[in-house]
Amino acid sequence: MKLDLPRYTERFGATSLHGVQRVYELDSGFDDGRSMSETLTRVGNDQIIDIERRMAIVIPIKAERLRLLEGVLSGIPHDCLTIIISNSPRQPVDRYKLEKDALLQFNRFVGRDALILHQRDPGLSEAVKETGYTSILGPDNVIRDGKAEGMVIGMLLAKMAGKEYVGFIDADNYVPGAVNEYVKIFASGIAMSKTPYTMIRVSWIFKPKMSETGLYFSKWGRVSELTNQHLNSLISYYTGFETEVMRTGNSGEHCMSIKLAELLTFSSGYSIEPYEIVNVLEEFGGIIPTVNQDAMDKGVEVLQVETRNPHFHEDKGDDHLKEMMVASLGSIYHSKICPPKLREKILESLRGRSMLDEGQPEPPAPVRIEPFRGIDMQQFAKILSKATTYTQ
Ligand code: GDP
Ligand code: CO
């Protein structure tokens, strides 16, 4: 892959937030010895495959169409470990079983490593409870519903499998070629990172929508525009300079080194993606003290890379949009580093769009999921092996 070097960077304590980088060639071929210009970089195919071998791709899924899942599976490079975490209904039709059958059939043909697990499997809940990871459990002692919860379980499985990197790809993507590009971007971003504590987020070039006159290639989704605006305000408040650096606040397609992932506190449901950025600033922004001195010494990087493929996924309607917006802005609003002025602006944004119910003074505080660094993985693996839906 051939891509830009970051053109500018916001530095915030030990964190470097890089501006969006563009892809020039999806496949940059063999190294032919020709020198590159000083502003482009080439990540060779050998290097990409070497990183893919050390990477797990987590697919969170809840009641998506099977055809879409099959397409996504076909787009994931062979050498990655695929991990599906499902929260699909099991009655009246056992949709988890359909997903599992589709995965096993796919694996039989391509001979690939993959894991699948149901988020609400009692054996899984037992494994997290016994290892003391209770912040992911609901009042019924079962893992809570929610996309973030599924992703965190996926990260635990990636760590358990000894992977160094974990990437996330939604199951509702219509374009397998786009999925393939996301993983190449993850690997290239990792290759370009200068620290073991790194995150790569995908910025979609277009998110096409149907309109009366045909396809309209819009640049931003309604939620992401607002999330980015407020994340940028948060950064500007501390640096004193207005910025537009953050473009991927809601990006479901992103990847992290396990070394970084296991230090982060996550925020429940659909607020996980923006809160990852907020939490990186909380932990490594130098505003409040941290226990993670090694990451402070080595630095934390966030790279953002713009795709070549447009992003086509399922349209989930206005209620979903509202849920995402309130959760995303709520995760910024309730951060301990959110200044009162920004809180006011967030409230204005939500009220102006009638996103808060009558008599609701503020967005609800998203539930937090603690870092998973301290979990005894051997014990976790041992208990998990008895979970009935766990299939590899
Ligand atoms: P959007 O694309 O950000 O608007 O959100 P989606 O509704 O498409 O969700 C993103 C991905 O998360 C999809 O693959 C969903 O099927 C999946 N997902 C949503 N809720 C849950 C959940 O509770 N658990 C799991 N494991 N996956 C979920
Ligand atoms: Co989607």
Side-chain angles (χ1 to χ4, degrees):
M1 183 167 261
K2 204 169 279 174
L3 60 172
D4 274 337
L5 290 169
R7 273 166 206 270
Y8 75 105
T9 300
E10 291 283 349
R11 287 170 229 280
F12 199 107
T15 307
S16 301
L17 301 172
H18 298 299
V20 172
Q21 298 163 239
R22 288 183 51 171
V23 172
Y24 290 85
E25 275 183 329
L26 288 169
D27 184 334
S28 58
F30 285 107
D31 188 349
D32 55 5
R34 269 202 273 182
S35 65
M36 296 284 299
S37 83
E38 280 169 19
T39 52
L40 289 191
T41 189
R42 171 171 44 209
V43 184
N45 295 348
D46 291 356
Q47 214 178 344
I48 288 182
I49 289 174
D50 177 52
I51 293 170
E52 285 169 352
R53 287 204 180 108
R54 293 183 273 147
M55 186 185 297
I57 297 295
V58 172
I59 307 174
I61 184 168
K62 185 177 174 185
E64 303 292 354
R65 293 197 272 177
L66 275 182
R67 278 295 172 92
L68 297 187
L69 175 65
E70 284 167 353
V72 169
L73 289 175
S74 74
I76 296 175
H78 182 87
D79 289 311
C80 298
L81 170 68
T82 304
I83 299 176
I84 303 180
I85 307 296
S86 170
N87 195 17
S88 300
R90 309 206 56 191
Q91 284 169 338
V93 176
D94 188 352
R95 296 189 61 165
Y96 168 76
K97 184 174 179 300
L98 300 181
E99 292 158 3
K100 188 176 91 176
D101 291 347
L103 177 71
L104 293 180
Q105 185 179 31
F106 177 78
N107 283 349
R108 203 171 310 128
F109 280 94
V110 300
R112 190 198 274 180
D113 289 335
L115 309 175
I116 186 167
L117 176 62
H118 198 276
Q119 186 167 336
R120 295 184 60 82
D121 186 316
L124 168 64
S125 297
E126 185 69 19
V128 299
K129 198 165 73 204
E130 289 301 313
T131 48
Y133 197 50
T134 49
S135 57
I136 199 166
L137 295 172
D140 53 357
N141 265 336
V142 178
I143 310 251
R144 286 188 302 268
D145 286 326
K147 183 189 179 206
E149 283 72 4
M151 286 167 59
V152 172
I153 296 303
M155 291 185 239
L156 289 179
L157 263 55
K159 186 177 175 190
M160 190 179 95
K163 296 292 166 183
E164 288 169 58
Y165 306 103
V166 60
F168 305 96
I169 295 188
D170 289 351
D172 64 338
N173 198 307
Y174 279 98
V175 188
V179 170
N180 189 259
E181 183 187 8
Y182 300 150
V183 183
K184 303 291 169 197
I185 287 177
F186 296 163
S188 301
I190 289 164
M192 292 172 75
S193 304
K194 296 183 187 67
T195 159
Y197 301 92
T198 187
M199 181 188 300
I200 295 91
R201 300 170 75 98
V202 163
S203 168
W204 304 315
I205 189 161
F206 293 116
K207 212 174 158 185
K209 301 197 169 57
M210 292 301 289
S211 74
E212 281 116 58
T213 49
L215 266 188
Y216 177 71
F217 287 83
S218 63
K219 207 80 190 135
W220 301 110
R222 280 170 286 179
V223 181
S224 41
E225 193 167 348
L226 204 63
T227 305
N228 290 333
Q229 186 194 322
H230 290 297
L231 281 175
N232 283 320
S233 301
L234 179 67
I235 297 162
S236 311
Y237 177 85
Y238 286 98
T239 60
F241 289 87
E242 266 192 12
T243 180
E244 295 189 338
V245 70
M246 276 311 304
R247 302 288 193 88
T248 56
N250 286 104
S251 179
E253 276 66 30
H254 64 288
C255 136
M256 282 183 267
S257 56
I258 296 283
K259 259 176 122 50
L260 174 60
E262 68 180 356
L263 302 183
L264 296 185
T265 298
F266 296 99
S267 170
S268 166
Y270 285 110
S271 61
I272 180 167
E273 281 96 2
Y275 187 70
E276 282 169 358
I277 297 295
V278 175
N279 189 242
V280 162
L281 300 179
E282 288 172 344
E283 280 295 326
F284 313 107
I287 308 162
I288 37 184
T290 175
V291 291
N292 301 309
Q293 191 56 43
D294 188 55
M296 293 302 281
D297 295 342
K298 300 205 166 96
V300 175
E301 276 186 278
V302 178
L303 287 87
Q304 306 177 92
V305 180
E306 185 180 78
T307 58
R308 281 283 159 179
N309 283 284
H311 187 77
F312 284 94
H313 72 146
E314 283 280 85
D315 191 352
K316 306 236 162 84
D318 282 352
D319 280 352
H320 174 62
L321 214 102
K322 180 176 170 180
E323 184 187 347
M324 282 205 51
M325 203 180 275
V326 175
S328 295
L329 298 196
S331 76
I332 307 173
Y333 180 95
H334 288 284
S335 164
K336 43 192 176 222
I337 62 167
C338 184
K341 263 207 185 120
L342 179 55
R343 289 216 170 110
E344 273 310 306
K345 279 212 287 186
I346 291 175
L347 283 183
E348 270 169 40
S349 290
L350 288 172
R351 289 204 191 107
R353 289 170 180 78
S354 307
M355 291 286 163
L356 292 180
D357 298 333
E358 198 118 333
Q360 195 182 5
E362 54 179 29
V367 180
R368 299 277 159 84
I369 305 168
E370 297 296 316
F372 59 85
R373 178 188 35 188
I375 296 187
D376 178 343
M377 292 313 294
Q378 272 183 338
Q379 192 191 2
F380 178 81
K382 205 168 138 209
I383 307 172
L384 183 69
S385 64
K386 288 184 239 137
T388 50
T389 67
Y390 180 54
T391 311
Q392 48 185 326

